[in-house]
């Protein structure tokens, strides 16, 4: 195949994926499963991607005081940054208050997001146990779990968030 | 010729869109008299000018043309946005230095030699690509807009917010984006049949992540390496970003680091807590991806006051996530009558399109509007239509018609009609 056709195919027709693949330079390097484990942060609502470890809200309260309180306030009531609790039942009101408890559809998102991004100035400092514990704490201050409920890879996906049934999809796959 | 050229096309002085083509812009300008001193040999003509340089910069007289309304959440410096000064630009390409910014935890300083893009999850072969490797793949480039779905959110406020186009609508820009079709890389990795979505994640401190359906990826997604001919700016994802033509900006993950193929969306914070659309009945819609058909008059606009009554060009931008702009209409009487605007030659899919209308402003108060139609037949809605059924806390995907009020003294302000 000439150079000319190679680029013509690649540039104009994404339908010809098979053709492109044959002609792609094939420069991707295989990644080992150890390497993947180190970079895979994705958590799915069904629990896929959740690591080993566990924690309770009681333990999480300590983590929260040390790492989160300064920005998110007492029991997640909000401080210089977002409130993480309250607002329950306010979505149909004139001034809805969106928080983890009043709005978020999936509990797994709390673990996923906090592990990626919080605490803001030093994400990555918390151990998996601390992450489960502070997740449990955020759920506890929103009356979603009890203080001593053990949150781990198995129990977290089963936690039903109060606002879960109020979400629809604006995108239909295959359209 | 004057009567022919000034053929009225709609109420309150709007002229036929061919006016500028036929008459040139001379008639208005000819009335101005040059002051004698500016016609003499000027200081800068009395000796050689500056020498060459390795990289250019705008004229020092243009130092006011900068990103505006820069804001970050309390206690942060990089969790916020800066906006494109749309009212000070013409044409359709946004200079890279003025492209809007929206970051979730600052701009990472990435060493391109250390950076890798990893494809994994439901694939036959998890693969890692260096920047040098990607640069050897066949590339495509297209001129397309990028819009934050929170753009124009101020227009949902009960009272019209006062500010420039930048402040109100500056989270949209357009660039030539060049890069490797993601479908090519995924084909190399071998997507398993169950792989219907992917999770794209950035190498910023927040590891910003979004779920993207596979259909879109196979349609026209690229791993962008180039913006307007040069490598991406750090604020636009250097050394690589996902670019999804016509879809909300937040999904075009910057500093792209991993792509995990999955069978369902991840429901990340930025696709649930944020970037979902709350209705007044309490129901929220997730995954409202394409940006709706929209237009905006950038001149005249707030901050660009009109001078003496006379002939003016109304100019602005129109765009749609569904494809090309087919038509832009302009009104100078608050929407009672409309006239077709002229479209500049470059009308491309999912790109900004520049429109222009001629307007004989008599000096009385006027309300000017623009309304775009795209090739799918969608017409830009009124503000009232957009807001119907939305919660007061809804914020994203506002594409309503923008009205500007021109006062007798030429001052331009934001109004709702």
């Amino acid at each position: 195949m000439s150079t000319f056709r190679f680029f013509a195919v690649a540039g104009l027709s994404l339908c010809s994926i098979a053709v492109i693949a044959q002609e792609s330079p094939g420069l991707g390097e295989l990644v080992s499963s150890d390497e993947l484990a180190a970079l895979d942060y994705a958590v799915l609502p069904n629990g896929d991607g959740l690591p080993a470890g566990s924690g309770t809200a009681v333990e999480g309260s300590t983590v929260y005081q040390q790492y989160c309180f300064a920005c998110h306030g007492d029991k997640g009531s909000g401080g210089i940054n977002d409130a993480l609790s309250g607002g329950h039942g306010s979505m149909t009101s004139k001034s809805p208050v969106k928080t983890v408890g009043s709005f978020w559809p999936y509990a797994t998102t709390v673990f996923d997001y906090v592990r990626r991004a919080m605490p803001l100035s030093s994400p990555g400092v918390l151990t998996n146990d601390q992450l489960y514990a502070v997740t449990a704490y955020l759920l506890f201050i929103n009356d979603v779990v009890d203080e001593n409920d053990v949150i781990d890879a198995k129990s977290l996906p089963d936690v039903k968030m109060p606002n879960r049934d109020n979400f629809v999809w604006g995108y239909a796959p295959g359209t | 010729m004057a009567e022919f050229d000034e053929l009225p096309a709609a109420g309150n002085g709007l002229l036929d869109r061919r006016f500028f083509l036929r008459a040139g812009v001379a008639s208005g300008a000819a009335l101005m008299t040059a002051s004698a001193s500016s016609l003499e040999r000027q200081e800068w003509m009395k000796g050689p000018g500056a020498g060459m340089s390795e990289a250019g910069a705008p004229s020092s007289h243009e130092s006011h043309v900068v990103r505006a309304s820069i804001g970050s959440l309390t206690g942060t410096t990089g969790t916020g946005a800066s906006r494109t000064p749309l009212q000070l630009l013409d044409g359709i390409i946004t200079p890279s230095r003025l492209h809007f910014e929206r970051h979730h935890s600052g701009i990472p300083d990435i060493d391109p030699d250390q950076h890798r893009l990893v494809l994994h999850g439901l694939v036959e072969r998890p693969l890692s690509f260096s920047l040098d490797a990607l640069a050897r793949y066949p590339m495509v480039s297209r001129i397309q807009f990028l819009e934050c779905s929170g753009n124009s959110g101020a227009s949902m406020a009960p009272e019209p917010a006062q500010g420039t186009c930048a402040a109100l609508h500056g989270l949209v820009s357009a660039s030539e984006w060049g890069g490797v079709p993601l479908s090519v890389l995924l084909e190399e990795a071998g997507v398993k049949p169950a792989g219907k979505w992917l999770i794209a994640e950035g190498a910023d401190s927040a590891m910003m992540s979004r779920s993207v359906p596979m259909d879109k990826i196979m349609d026209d997604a690229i791993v962008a390496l180039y913006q307007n001919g040069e490598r991406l700016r750090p604020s636009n994802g250097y050394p690589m970003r996902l670019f999804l033509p016509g879809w909300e900006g937040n999904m075009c993950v910057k500093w792209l680091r991993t792509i995990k193929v999955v069978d369902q969306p991840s429901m990340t914070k930025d696709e649930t807590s944020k970037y979902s659309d709350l209705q007044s009945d309490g129901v929220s819609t997730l995954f409202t991806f394409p940006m709706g058909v929209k237009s905006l008059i950038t001149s005249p606009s707030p901050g660009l006051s009109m001078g003496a009554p006379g002939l003016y060009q109304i100019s602005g931008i129109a765009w749609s996530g569904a494809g090309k702009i087919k038509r832009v209409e302009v009104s100078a009487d608050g929407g009672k009558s409309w006239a077709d605007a002229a479209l500049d030659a470059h009308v491309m899919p999912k790109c900004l399109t520049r429109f222009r209308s001629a307007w004989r402003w008599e000096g009385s108060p006027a309300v000017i509007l623009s309304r775009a139609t795209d090739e799918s037949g969608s017409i830009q809605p009124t503000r009232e239509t957009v807001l119907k059924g939305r919660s007061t806390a809804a914020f994203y995907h506002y594409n309503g018609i923008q009205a500007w009020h021109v006062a007798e003294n030429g001052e331009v302000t934001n109004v709702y009609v």
Side-chain angles (χ1 to χ4, degrees):
Chain A
M1 185 185 265
S2 71
T3 318
F4 173 76
R5 250 196 84 201
F6 165 70
F7 285 107
V9 168
L12 297 179
S13 167
L14 295 183
C15 309
S16 329
I17 280 162
V19 183
I20 296 169
Q22 280 165 22
E23 300 301 321
S24 106
L27 301 172
E29 292 174 35
L30 273 179
V31 187
S32 73
S33 47
D34 281 358
E35 289 170 308
L36 283 181
L39 65 69
D40 189 358
Y41 280 79
V43 172
L44 301 187
N46 65 8
D48 267 16
L50 283 170
S54 68
T56 65
V58 173
E59 295 152 7
S61 164
T62 319
V63 179
Y64 185 86
Q65 299 309 319
Q66 187 180 346
Y67 291 103
C68 324
F69 175 89
C71 298
H72 294 293
D74 188 32
K75 298 194 177 70
S77 57
I80 57 173
N81 296 117
D82 297 320
L84 304 178
S85 63
H88 291 239
S90 70
M91 289 311 125
T92 50
S93 77
K94 283 263 170 285
S95 31
V97 179
K98 291 184 184 176
T99 70
V100 169
S102 67
F103 190 67
W104 290 30
Y106 295 95
T108 46
T109 308
V110 181
F111 187 98
D112 179 81
Y113 180 63
V114 175
R115 178 165 69 160
R116 290 174 183 283
M118 291 292 141
L120 186 87
S121 2
S122 51
V125 295
L126 302 183
T127 65
N128 288 338
D129 285 345
Q130 286 175 313
L131 286 165
Y132 278 115
V134 81
T135 300
Y137 180 74
L138 294 188
L139 297 172
F140 167 68
I141 57 177
N142 281 290
D143 302 321
V144 181
V145 302
D146 287 332
E147 210 169 4
N148 292 305
D149 285 355
V150 175
I151 296 300
D152 59 16
K154 209 166 146 353
S155 59
L156 186 60
D158 290 337
V159 172
K160 187 169 178 195
M161 299 300 278
N163 196 39
R164 163 92 76 91
D165 294 336
N166 289 318
F167 287 85
V168 295
W169 284 24
Y171 170 81
T175 53
Chain B
M1 282 300 281
E3 306 94 296
F4 174 78
D5 287 329
E6 295 213 11
L7 205 63
N12 203 15
L14 272 187
L15 305 179
D16 188 275
R17 67 191 154 126
R18 286 155 300 190
F19 174 77
F20 285 123
L21 295 180
R22 292 182 197 272
V25 268
S27 48
L31 299 172
M32 321 256 289
T33 39
S35 73
S37 66
S38 62
L39 298 182
E40 288 164 7
R41 188 170 187 139
Q42 298 292 304
E43 276 319 303
W44 50 86
M45 302 164 73
K46 294 176 182 168
M52 281 61 71
S53 61
E54 288 184 324
S59 160
S60 61
H61 304 285
E62 296 296 315
S63 57
H64 59 291
V65 185
V66 289
R67 290 192 281 234
S69 299
I70 303 176
S72 193
L73 294 180
T74 319
T76 72
T77 50
T79 305
S82 73
R83 291 146 205 266
T84 298
L86 298 170
Q87 74 282 9
L88 302 176
L89 304 176
D90 200 281
I92 56 170
I93 306 272
T94 310
S96 300
R97 69 189 177 89
L98 300 176
H99 194 288
F100 80 85
E101 298 173 278
R102 176 76 181 96
H103 315 309
H104 291 262
S105 201
I107 304 166
D109 180 15
I110 295 177
D111 175 351
D113 295 333
Q114 297 298 316
H115 185 84
R116 292 289 180 278
L117 172 61
V118 173
L119 307 189
H120 68 120
L122 295 172
V123 294
E124 302 294 343
R125 294 165 292 278
L127 293 177
S128 150
F129 298 87
S130 67
L131 180 61
D132 287 346
L134 285 182
R136 279 181 51 193
Y137 279 69
M139 291 201 215
V140 295
S141 82
R142 311 185 192 98
I143 304 178
Q144 284 165 329
F145 76 82
L146 183 69
E147 183 180 23
C148 174
S149 78
N151 193 26
S152 315
S155 301
M156 298 194 202
E159 295 301 322
Q162 294 308 328
T164 60
C165 285
L168 301 174
H169 304 288
L171 296 176
V172 63
S173 303
S175 306
E176 182 188 5
W177 298 100
V180 182
L182 182 48
S183 56
V184 175
L185 305 178
L186 282 170
E187 186 64 22
E188 191 176 320
V191 175
K192 293 182 177 167
K196 297 292 180 224
W197 290 76
L198 53 77
I199 305 166
E201 171 191 275
D204 57 331
S205 169
M207 286 197 239
M208 226 294 297
S209 56
R210 285 293 303 258
S211 309
V212 187
M214 197 58 80
D215 308 351
K216 175 66 175 177
I217 297 297
M218 291 308 178
D219 181 18
D220 60 0
I222 64 169
V223 176
L225 308 179
Y226 288 92
Q227 179 186 4
N228 296 331
E230 62 180 356
R231 284 283 165 90
L232 301 179
R233 299 272 168 122
S235 56
N236 265 297
Y238 181 86
M240 57 188 74
R241 81 177 302 167
L242 185 59
F243 189 76
L244 305 173
W247 282 24
E248 59 184 23
N250 180 255
M251 305 177 75
C252 301
V253 173
K254 292 181 290 204
W255 315 295
L256 187 64
R257 182 173 120 98
T258 69
I259 285 180
K260 184 174 188 181
V261 179
V262 287
D263 60 356
Q264 60 187 287
S266 164
M267 301 293 177
T268 68
K269 173 253 197 187
D270 279 290
E271 63 207 20
T272 54
S273 172
K274 306 288 189 282
Y275 305 101
S276 60
D277 303 322
L278 178 61
Q279 297 162 199
S280 51
D281 63 2
V283 173
S284 290
T285 310
L286 301 171
F287 310 136
T288 47
F289 299 140
M291 298 307 295
V293 60
K294 189 164 173 181
S295 70
L296 172 72
I297 294 173
T298 53
S299 174
S301 67
L304 303 181
S305 298
M306 311 264 293
L311 183 64
Y312 281 86
Q313 177 181 259
I314 291 177
S315 159
I317 46 177
W319 65 99
S320 166
K324 286 182 189 169
I325 287 298
K326 195 171 75 188
R327 178 183 196 194
V328 180
E329 297 154 284
V330 171
S331 172
D333 55 11
K336 285 205 266 304
S337 63
W338 298 84
D340 278 308
L343 305 184
D344 271 8
H346 312 289
V347 179
M348 290 172 280
K350 304 173 186 180
C351 187
L352 298 186
T353 294
R354 175 66 56 178
F355 65 87
R356 304 175 195 278
S357 283
W359 184 31
R360 170 68 66 186
W361 181 52
E362 302 295 358
S364 43
V367 172
I368 56 174
L369 321 165
S370 65
R371 174 171 74 189
T373 304
D374 68 23
E375 63 180 341
S376 79
S378 292
I379 302 175
Q380 185 179 8
T382 61
R383 176 171 180 276
E384 202 185 348
T385 307
V386 178
L387 295 197
K388 202 154 181 250
R390 286 203 188 200
S391 162
T392 52
F395 192 74
Y396 306 105
H397 290 280
Y398 180 91
N399 67 332
I401 291 172
Q402 171 66 57
W404 301 130
H405 181 263
V406 180
E408 242 168 347
N409 66 2
E411 200 194 328
V412 185
T413 48
N414 183 15
V415 285
Y416 293 157
V417 290

